[in-house]
Amino acid sequence: MASSSNIRLSIVNSMLRTIGTAKLSASDTEHPDYIVANDVLEEVLEDFASLPLWFNTSQRILSQDTDGRIPIPNNTIAIDPVLGALNYVARDRYLFDVNKRTNIIGADVECFIQAKVDLIDMPTEAIKFIRAQARAKFYLDEDGGERKVREYNGAAYSAQMELFTVNLSRMDINFFSGRAGRSFFTARPSGYQHIAGGTIGGVNFTQ
């Protein structure tokens, strides 16, 4: 049965194949080769999580608690109030009013939310790109030959462009209703805050 751990293992083994290392099994997570490859994969996943894409962005109303504070969902990577005049940021897992210097909001707030998505819940195009990017980064870190470096980088770029194309095609579904769509063409409000950030392969999807 497919699972995030199985997908992760598949990507790790794909990375290890670039340097001719034997395939690992699900019980080999403490193996030195697995640990090294998985560390590289984690770096790729961290960068990838910062990209606002059709499957990780949504627009929703966050409710205040009994104290008037608004908890931020645990898997939130970036958050942006729909009303640009609201200078709210994420702080200690609550919305924080920068102007008033308090996390007591006192009302529900509609926000654009970018969330971290497990591997098992990602679309095929995302997994394909993550795999290609992880292979390229791992091979480069292992001081691989120049010709293969170019090949792996080229494969990663092609997968990135495929993901980018699919992302654009999904705009009519929910892209422009969320933070990702606005980020293509509008400046951020002063209160916008990335909880984590990064770019991949030299292409910034938020510009």
Side-chain angles (χ1 to χ4, degrees):
M1 177 180 293
S3 66
S4 289
S5 59
N6 287 341
I7 295 172
R8 179 181 293 270
L9 178 61
S10 173
I11 296 173
V12 165
N13 277 323
S14 180
M15 296 163 67
L16 293 175
R17 282 199 302 273
T18 66
I19 58 172
T21 301
K23 182 178 180 180
L24 299 176
S25 66
S27 62
D28 291 326
T29 55
E30 298 301 319
H31 192 285
D33 289 340
Y34 182 96
I35 293 173
V36 171
N38 190 60
D39 284 346
V40 173
L41 176 56
E42 281 297 322
E43 293 178 8
V44 172
L45 289 172
E46 182 178 358
D47 285 345
F48 183 79
S50 70
L51 301 179
L53 300 165
W54 81 94
F55 63 88
N56 67 1
T57 58
S58 64
Q59 181 176 337
R60 55 188 287 197
I61 296 175
L62 299 183
S63 301
Q64 61 178 316
D65 61 18
T66 56
D67 296 321
R69 300 183 301 177
I70 298 180
I72 296 172
N74 290 332
N75 63 342
T76 299
I77 294 173
I79 190 166
D80 184 14
V82 171
L83 295 179
L86 298 178
N87 193 10
Y88 297 163
V89 298
R91 188 164 299 176
D92 296 327
R93 307 312 304 177
Y94 291 94
L95 280 185
F96 183 84
D97 189 325
V98 175
N99 294 336
K100 296 181 179 179
R101 311 302 299 174
T102 180
N103 62 7
I104 306 299
I105 303 300
D108 298 345
V109 178
E110 188 171 12
C111 295
F112 297 113
I113 296 175
Q114 182 182 337
K116 183 176 181 179
V117 178
D118 290 336
L119 286 169
I120 189 63
D121 296 320
M122 289 186 186
T124 301
E125 296 85 1
I127 297 297
K128 181 178 179 180
F129 169 70
I130 290 169
R131 186 187 306 274
Q133 182 70 12
R135 284 166 60 89
K137 181 172 176 57
F138 178 74
Y139 188 74
L140 180 62
D141 287 354
E142 293 294 311
D143 296 324
E146 183 177 347
R147 182 179 66 82
K148 283 290 188 179
V149 166
R150 288 198 301 269
E151 289 182 9
Y152 289 131
N153 281 339
Y157 180 77
S158 295
Q160 179 177 270
M161 291 301 99
E162 180 182 348
L163 177 67
F164 181 71
T165 300
V166 173
N167 193 56
L168 291 176
S169 72
R170 297 298 182 92
M171 285 181 177
D172 60 339
I173 299 176
N174 72 354
F175 189 83
F176 282 116
S177 66
R179 187 181 58 78
R182 296 202 314 159
S183 70
F184 265 79
F185 303 108
T186 62
R188 292 292 185 201
S190 59
Y192 178 79
Q193 176 182 357
H194 262 294
I195 297 175
T199 59
I200 297 181
V203 175
N204 187 340
F205 282 74
T206 63
Q207 292 182 345

